[in-house]
Amino acid sequence: MIDLRNIETFFWVARLGGFRAAAEKLNATQPAISQRIASLESGLGVRLFERDARGIKLTAKGHELLSHAERMLQMRTDMQQAARAQNVMSGTLRLGVAETIVHTWLSRLMEYMHEAYPALMVEIQVDTTPALKSLLTSHQIDLAFLMGPVDEPRVDNIHLCRYPLAWLASPQLKLGREPIPLKRLGQWPVLTYSSITEPHRAVRRMLVEAGVATPRMYGSSALSVIVRMAMDGIGTAAIAPVFLGRELAQGELRQLDVRAPDLPPLSFTASWMQGPDSHVARTIAQAAQVIARDHAGEGASEMVASPPAR
DNA sequence: TACACCAAGAGACTGTCAAC
DNA sequence: GTTGACAGTCTCTTGGTGTA
């Protein structure tokens, strides 16, 4: 019979030069080894060893088939390792991300994925949180990094990171260094996230409560648009400045000291649909959690995943 | 003495089928 | 689709034999 055990026996008899040595190696008796070889020879229809009183030696066919046996055993080892390893993920992960993530730690996550899961392809879609929610629940993306959580049936969420919102403006607006009443900011358009997002609504509520009856708000789903307009002095911006280190350092934008309650922070989650094929999304989400918290300086005490090697 | 092979019996394994 | 019983098959070990 041609089975893997008999092939392994063949390999060790050939490697160790005898039935008895192979029996010791494989924790079996010599007759059992003899029977396995006989069974394999019968199954293959060829003689693998020449037996004589001085011992055994491979036949020409035995020499030829030994390399096949080695390859089959190596494949078994490879399969066992693949079954044990987590880094055998393959296929395509459709990833939806909010733009703030793109400008903060997404590259680091992609670098990690490239090294840890080289067979995994990634399609990235950048969009607003409402759009990402819709894509996720309609199974058009597998994993979303968005302002969550997503309160839908069969959606799993894990917290990624939290970034504070801040008021920013160009020096062109000549707002001075002293604390500014929130109502005064109502003189200029407020540049912030898209009107269908929660931060946009929160900023509008604060302005109304501060006495700005009809706030002029320019919402955009593109952060680059908000930043460009703010730097050009079009208005003040209410966004997370986490990715604006260069603009702030060079004085193209500055953070305002506004006399007002704190803006609500942006809280990002990784969200994915539950299902038998959600392992990839869950694994990448956990890696993202580690990277995001490290980037945001939130510490590792609540992490559910082992930190990536870097 | 050392090696491989053979025969017999015991235990483990596998496939099938019925019951749920 | 799962579980348990059962029969047939397979594989192992032990004990013995043959050969150089």
Side-chain angles (χ1 to χ4, degrees):
Chain A
M1 184 165 54
I2 307 171
D3 66 18
L4 206 53
R5 188 186 52 176
N6 290 353
I7 290 168
E8 183 179 26
T9 302
F10 165 52
F11 173 79
W12 283 110
V13 170
R15 172 66 64 87
L16 300 173
F19 284 39
R20 189 165 298 279
E24 290 174 9
K25 168 71 182 175
L26 298 172
N27 295 316
T29 59
Q30 178 271 322
I33 300 301
S34 181
Q35 285 178 27
R36 290 182 197 174
I37 296 301
S39 173
L40 185 59
E41 288 178 329
S42 173
L44 292 170
V46 298
R47 192 78 166 162
L48 297 170
F49 296 102
E50 294 292 353
R51 287 87 157 169
D52 60 30
R54 290 183 302 277
I56 54 131
K57 65 177 183 181
L58 279 167
T59 62
K61 201 67 181 176
H63 271 295
E64 180 186 340
L65 296 179
L66 182 58
S67 62
H68 292 274
E70 277 190 84
R71 285 203 300 275
M72 293 174 76
L73 295 174
Q74 183 58 51
M75 287 175 69
R76 179 185 67 176
T77 302
D78 292 346
M79 186 176 177
Q80 288 170 330
Q81 288 177 348
R84 280 194 294 268
Q86 292 185 346
N87 60 347
V88 293
M89 292 193 295
S90 59
T92 300
L93 175 72
R94 298 167 301 172
L95 177 62
V97 295
E99 196 181 357
T100 300
I101 305 301
V102 175
H103 293 292
T104 50
W105 46 264
L106 183 64
S107 294
R108 199 173 145 198
L109 175 67
M110 297 304 297
E111 196 178 348
Y112 166 72
M113 289 168 63
H114 176 68
E115 284 191 14
Y117 310 111
L120 184 65
M121 302 294 116
V122 183
E123 282 181 16
I124 299 174
Q125 186 155 348
V126 181
D127 217 322
T128 61
T129 285
L132 292 173
K133 280 183 182 175
S134 175
L135 290 169
L136 183 69
T137 54
S138 60
H139 293 89
Q140 294 180 67
I141 57 175
D142 305 302
L143 174 64
F145 299 154
L146 41 61
M147 285 182 254
V150 177
D151 292 317
E152 296 283 345
R154 300 183 54 75
V155 174
D156 279 338
N157 301 280
I158 58 173
H159 172 69
L160 292 175
C161 55
R162 195 170 282 112
Y163 293 126
L165 279 181
W167 293 98
L168 305 163
S170 164
Q172 296 176 40
L173 296 187
K174 296 184 169 43
L175 286 165
R177 294 286 173 186
E178 61 280 357
I180 308 162
L182 181 56
K183 187 175 182 179
R184 190 182 161 204
L185 294 186
Q187 297 175 20
W188 295 275
V190 173
L191 312 167
T192 189
Y193 302 95
S194 168
S195 61
I196 56 175
T197 63
E198 181 54 35
H200 184 107
R201 289 191 282 266
V203 170
R204 174 178 289 278
R205 275 196 303 271
M206 288 179 65
L207 287 166
V208 170
E209 286 168 9
V212 183
T214 53
R216 269 190 300 163
M217 297 186 63
Y218 294 174
S220 172
S221 60
L223 278 174
S224 58
V225 172
I226 299 171
V227 172
R228 183 71 260 168
M229 289 198 296
M231 287 168 57
D232 289 344
I234 303 298
T236 61
I239 56 175
V242 61
F243 63 95
L244 295 173
R246 184 180 60 80
E247 288 82 355
L248 291 167
Q250 294 180 352
E252 295 170 300
L253 287 173
R254 73 178 184 86
Q255 192 163 334
L256 304 178
D257 184 4
V258 177
R259 285 209 298 264
D262 287 340
L263 288 162
L266 301 186
S267 182
F268 288 95
T269 66
S271 305
W272 64 95
M273 298 295 292
Q274 298 168 0
D277 55 352
S278 62
H279 168 70
V280 172
R282 181 188 306 274
T283 302
I284 298 305
Q286 290 173 343
Q289 183 186 54
V290 176
I291 291 170
R293 289 191 173 188
D294 181 57
H295 182 272
E298 292 185 21
S301 61
E302 296 172 33
M303 291 180 187
V304 297
S306 299
R310 285 171 292 107

